[in-house]
Amino acid sequence: LATLIQDSFKLNLYSDSIFLFSGWSKDRYKCLYFDGDGFAMLYKRLDNGKLQWPKDEKEVRNLSQQELRWLLEGLSLQQPKAITKSAKGIF
């Protein structure tokens, strides 16, 4: 996974990031992150349900903490009833 992150996606493995990968069946995922003195990897297989993983397998995106929580709870990343953040404006 580390080689894939660096070579294919050109991302910094040592950044303050969590990298998630899902299997084809979308009932399991791997999580890779650097915690300051080494890499940790979590593998999880869901007993019930599937992840609402993005359709494009090659899509790489930054997720907010809320979007990550939605994804890992089996919800879609696009929540139509969620209040979206507003742009900074001038009063």
Side-chain angles (χ1 to χ4, degrees):
L1 291 180
T3 302
L4 182 66
I5 293 165
Q6 279 187 323
D7 295 346
S8 296
F9 298 117
K10 307 294 186 216
L11 297 171
N12 181 4
L13 276 171
Y14 301 98
S15 64
D16 187 25
S17 299
I18 296 172
F19 299 96
L20 292 174
F21 297 86
S22 175
W24 285 105
S25 60
K26 296 184 177 65
D27 67 346
R28 59 198 74 193
Y29 64 90
K30 292 178 185 174
C31 170
L32 181 70
Y33 67 95
F34 183 74
D35 66 0
D37 61 3
F39 287 96
M41 186 166 75
L42 167 76
Y43 176 82
K44 183 168 183 174
R45 184 185 60 82
L46 303 170
D47 285 339
N48 297 311
K50 295 181 183 266
L51 297 170
Q52 296 295 316
W53 206 261
K55 301 289 183 203
D56 184 0
E57 307 87 30
K58 297 182 187 251
E59 183 178 336
V60 174
R61 51 184 296 188
N62 291 320
L63 301 177
S64 67
Q65 288 180 357
Q66 187 174 43
E67 288 173 323
L68 176 61
R69 192 188 82 229
W70 286 339
L71 181 67
L72 298 181
E73 290 176 353
L75 300 172
S76 171
L77 292 177
Q78 288 73 36
Q79 292 294 316
K81 294 185 179 182
I83 297 172
T84 58
K85 293 185 179 183
S86 60
K88 294 180 181 178
I90 300 173
F91 287 97

